[in-house]
Amino acid sequence: IATTISDYAFAAHPARDWRTFVARKQAKDHGSGKLIEGAYKPGERALIAGVYLRRLRIGMPLQADPTVIYAKKLRAAWDGNLRRADLALEDPYNTYRFPGLPPGPICSPGLASLVAASRPIDEGALYFVSRNDGTHVFATTLREHNENVAEWQKRYWRRKWGAKRGA
């Protein structure tokens, strides 16, 4: 805990050089993967933060899948597969149904996520979808997003499942 507090204090201090902190953190965590959390690639965290910030600014629902997953986990109903019907779950953590941020945290964010949230990159995207490899495809329109979902969720999984059945 003391190391984590020290890391946050070091990174948050305005006089600190960010490159020095990253080098220190990478050296300490080399080989453990602790610098990179979750399924996001390091360069995408600030872009994802930018999407959520843009949505909040224009009053658009966050529609964040992790909030629905968290709500399902609270009910011991998470089976590892998010379905369209899950998006209608009546729960205050479900950002598809309830506007704004959820009523509480859904995880304990790491430093990289906190930094991304404090330094979001807004490139105009309102949507993103997973490529199933830790990276995402970003879109500015719902039409473009729906095409990305069709490619990276529907067709991707059909090809993957078809290859397993044919093997």
Side-chain angles (χ1 to χ4, degrees), residues 2-14 16 21 24 111:
T3 300
T4 301
I5 291 170
S6 170
D7 287 347
Y8 285 127
F10 184 91
H13 192 285
R16 302 289 186 203
F21 171 75
R24 177 181 148 196
L111 180 60

Side-chain angles (χ1 to χ4, degrees), residues 96-116:
Y96 280 84
R97 302 230 353 142
F98 295 90
L101 295 169
I106 63 167
C107 71
S108 179
L111 180 60
S113 294
L114 293 173
V115 168

Side-chain angles (χ1 to χ4, degrees), residues 41-65:
K41 296 293 184 190
E44 289 190 348
R45 282 193 176 108
L47 292 170
I48 289 169
V51 170
Y52 288 140
L53 182 61
R54 176 175 274 273
R55 283 176 166 232
L56 286 169
R57 283 185 178 154
I58 66 172
M60 184 177 180
L62 290 180
Q63 298 177 322
D65 292 354

